[in-house]
């Protein structure tokens, strides 16, 4: 009979030959190294992901800050940044999250993302339960939902608490305009301008409302106020000239011609002012009453100069490959001058 030999634990390795023992140790070491390398790569990937996430969050925060400083809406981009980076990491922004909530709320209203608006409004209301700025945003939400009466009621409450607050008064004008009550909007905006006479945006909006009513004389008065506030803006001079040209008559068209010249003096690349100057000078040259010979000669020079400038702009934009378009332009300008001189 054979006796059963029981070896102590670990003695089996001792019975292996040296070559087999070395192979076993090498295999164990290789497995241990692979395991260590896997754990290290996992930690590295996690660290890289966290670093990239922090970098994208920082970039999103800096981008929103830049748009706030430059007063740019960029509503679609703001909402996209909120969805991709900010919503889940808003707590990492510290006190700046309050400004971000307000910015995102306004952008979401522009994009009709009421779900995002609700998130921002709830967060802001928890931070500032009695804030007038938060209530204004709530009124804007009601306005976006076309609950105009409720929005007007809330705006009236804000105005009663702070009569010097201009924002809710402007929102009232916007709501009246959205409801199609142009006359009431004009009345409200006139009352606003009695208290805030230096508000250039309000003067511009009042001008647009008067144009909707085809009241060109009052629209021109609003643009005159803007010219006084901002005399070096070529777009203001151009807009005022457009209105005076539309009014018609020798005196108004001469004023339009003068302001088209001012617009071109401030910005030589204003094509609308160039065309306006050409039309104004052509129309003045066709009028016989009150037009002296020097004025007619001056108008002829302006017509020739404006026509040449328009052709030069088209040549710079199209190059020499658009001869047919340039010939068509010359024929149109020539026909305009001929019709004006023969009238």
């Amino acid at each position: 009979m054979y006796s059963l030999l029981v070896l102590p634990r670990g003695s089996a390795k001792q019975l292996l030959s040296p070559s087999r023992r070395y192979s076993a140790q090498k295999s164990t070491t290789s497995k241990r190294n692979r395991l260590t390398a896997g754990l290290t790569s996992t930690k590295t990937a996690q660290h890289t992901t966290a670093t990239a996430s922090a970098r994208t969050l920082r970039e999103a925060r800096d981008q929103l800050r830049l748009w706030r400083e430059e007063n740019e809406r960029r509503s679609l981009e703001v909402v996209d940044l909120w969805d991709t980076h900010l919503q889940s990491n808003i707590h990492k922004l510290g006190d700046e999250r309050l400004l971000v909530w307000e910015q995102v709320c306004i952008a979401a209203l522009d994009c009709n993302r009421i779900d995002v608006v609700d998130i921002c409004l709830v967060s802001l209301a928890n931070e500032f339960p009695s804030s007038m700025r938060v209530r204004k945003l709530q009124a804007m939400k009601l306005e976006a939902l076309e609950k105009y009466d409720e929005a007007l009621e809330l705006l009236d409450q804000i105005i009663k608490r702070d009569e010097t607050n201009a924002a809710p008064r402007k929102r009232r004008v916007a709501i009246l305009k959205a409801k199609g009550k142009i006359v009431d909007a004009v009345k409200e905006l006139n009352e606003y301008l009695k208290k805030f006479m230096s508000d250039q945006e309000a003067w511009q909006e009042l001008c647009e409302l008067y144009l909707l009513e085809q009241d060109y004389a009052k629209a021109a008065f609003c643009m005159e106020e803007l010219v006084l506030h901002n005399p070096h803006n070529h777009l203001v001079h151009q807009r005022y000239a457009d209105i005076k040209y539309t009014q018609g008559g020798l005196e108004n068209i001469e004023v339009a011609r003068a302001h088209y010249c001012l617009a071109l003096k401030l910005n030589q690349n204003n094509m609308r002012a160039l065309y306006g100057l050409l039309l104004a000078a052509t129309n003045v040259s066709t009028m016989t009453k009150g037009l002296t010979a020097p004025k007619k000669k001056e108008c002829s020079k302006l017509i020739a100069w404006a026509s040449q400038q328009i052709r030069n702009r088209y040549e710079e934009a199209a190059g020499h490959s658009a001869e047919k378009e340039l010939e068509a332009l010359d024929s149109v300008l020539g026909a305009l001058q001929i019709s004006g001189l023969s009238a």
Side-chain angles (χ1 to χ4, degrees):
M1 294 190 55
Y2 294 96
S3 61
L4 182 63
L5 179 62
V6 179
L7 296 175
R9 182 177 297 178
S11 58
K13 292 182 179 181
Q14 297 176 1
L15 296 177
L16 296 174
S17 63
S19 60
R20 291 186 178 180
R21 191 183 305 141
Y22 174 75
S23 299
Q25 291 177 354
K26 186 176 181 181
S27 176
T28 304
T29 304
S30 177
K31 291 180 181 179
R32 188 180 297 119
N33 290 338
R34 286 198 299 270
L35 180 61
T36 305
L39 293 174
T40 303
S41 62
T42 302
K43 291 181 179 179
T44 303
Q46 292 175 351
H47 177 72
T48 303
T49 303
T51 303
S53 177
R55 184 170 61 252
T56 53
L57 176 62
R58 184 167 59 252
E59 291 173 355
R61 181 201 61 192
D62 294 341
Q63 186 63 67
L64 290 182
R65 187 183 298 169
L66 178 63
W67 288 338
R68 288 197 304 271
E69 292 173 353
E70 296 182 353
N71 198 24
E72 296 186 25
R73 294 287 278 256
R74 298 293 188 92
S75 300
L76 290 174
E77 292 89 340
V78 170
V79 174
D80 184 61
L81 288 176
W82 168 264
D83 290 333
T84 54
H85 302 299
L86 296 172
Q87 183 175 4
S88 58
N89 298 305
I90 190 68
H91 60 281
K92 298 179 181 179
L93 298 181
D95 292 337
E96 194 174 357
R97 72 187 187 282
L98 305 174
L99 294 174
V100 171
W101 275 328
E102 184 180 21
Q103 185 178 7
V104 172
C105 181
I106 295 174
L109 285 170
D110 291 341
C111 300
N112 198 27
R113 287 287 303 275
I114 305 300
D115 55 329
V116 178
V117 174
D118 290 334
I119 294 173
C120 297
L121 282 179
V122 169
S123 302
L124 288 170
N126 290 334
E127 296 283 345
F128 306 102
S130 59
S131 172
M132 293 296 102
R133 289 174 67 173
V134 176
R135 291 197 176 187
K136 186 197 76 171
L137 294 175
Q138 292 171 347
M140 291 173 65
K141 176 191 171 184
L142 294 173
E143 182 182 348
L145 296 173
E146 297 185 359
K147 298 180 180 179
Y148 297 128
D149 295 333
E150 297 179 22
L152 287 172
E153 183 179 353
L154 184 55
L155 290 172
D156 289 337
Q157 295 176 5
I158 298 173
I159 293 171
K160 286 181 181 180
R161 290 193 58 180
D162 185 8
E163 295 184 356
T164 62
N165 194 341
R169 297 178 185 272
K170 287 185 175 182
R171 295 314 315 168
R172 282 184 56 85
V173 175
I175 291 174
L176 292 172
K177 184 179 178 181
K179 294 177 71 174
K181 298 181 178 180
I182 304 300
V183 177
D184 294 336
V186 169
K187 183 179 178 181
E188 184 76 23
L189 197 49
N190 275 306
E191 291 296 325
Y192 169 83
L193 284 169
K194 289 179 181 178
K195 299 179 176 63
F196 305 93
M197 288 179 278
S198 61
D199 192 334
Q200 298 183 36
E201 292 180 353
W203 283 111
Q204 186 172 357
E205 181 62 29
L206 184 58
C207 175
E208 296 297 329
L209 293 176
Y210 279 133
L211 289 176
L212 289 176
E213 294 294 305
Q214 297 184 1
D215 194 341
Y216 298 111
K218 292 181 180 179
F221 174 80
C222 295
M223 292 308 300
E224 288 169 359
E225 291 289 334
L226 285 172
V227 169
L228 292 174
H229 282 99
N230 198 355
H232 300 294
N233 190 336
H234 68 100
L235 296 176
V236 174
H237 289 283
Q238 172 207 301
R239 187 63 167 166
Y240 179 57
D242 290 342
I243 295 172
K244 298 302 287 185
Y245 180 83
T246 306
Q247 283 185 274
L250 177 60
E251 183 179 353
N252 290 326
I253 294 180
E254 282 189 332
V255 173
R257 184 189 63 180
H259 282 272
Y260 281 132
C261 290
L262 282 172
L264 288 169
K265 184 178 180 180
L266 294 169
N267 182 11
Q268 297 179 358
N269 296 321
N270 191 330
M271 286 296 295
R272 186 181 180 92
L274 269 175
Y275 276 109
L277 177 60
L278 177 62
L279 292 173
T282 303
N283 276 274
V284 170
S285 66
T286 62
M287 297 180 182
T288 57
K289 293 183 179 180
L291 185 65
T292 61
K295 282 188 178 180
K296 192 169 185 178
K297 185 177 181 180
E298 181 184 357
C299 288
S300 298
K301 290 182 179 179
L302 287 174
I303 291 170
W305 180 83
S307 301
Q308 185 60 41
Q309 291 297 317
I310 292 172
R311 179 178 174 82
N312 292 341
R313 299 292 189 279
Y314 275 93
E315 286 181 350
E316 292 175 1
H320 298 287
S321 60
E323 291 297 332
K324 293 183 179 180
E325 288 80 355
L326 293 174
E327 290 177 2
L329 176 65
D330 289 337
S331 64
V332 170
L333 295 177
L336 178 61
Q337 296 176 32
I338 292 172
S339 62
L341 293 174
S342 62

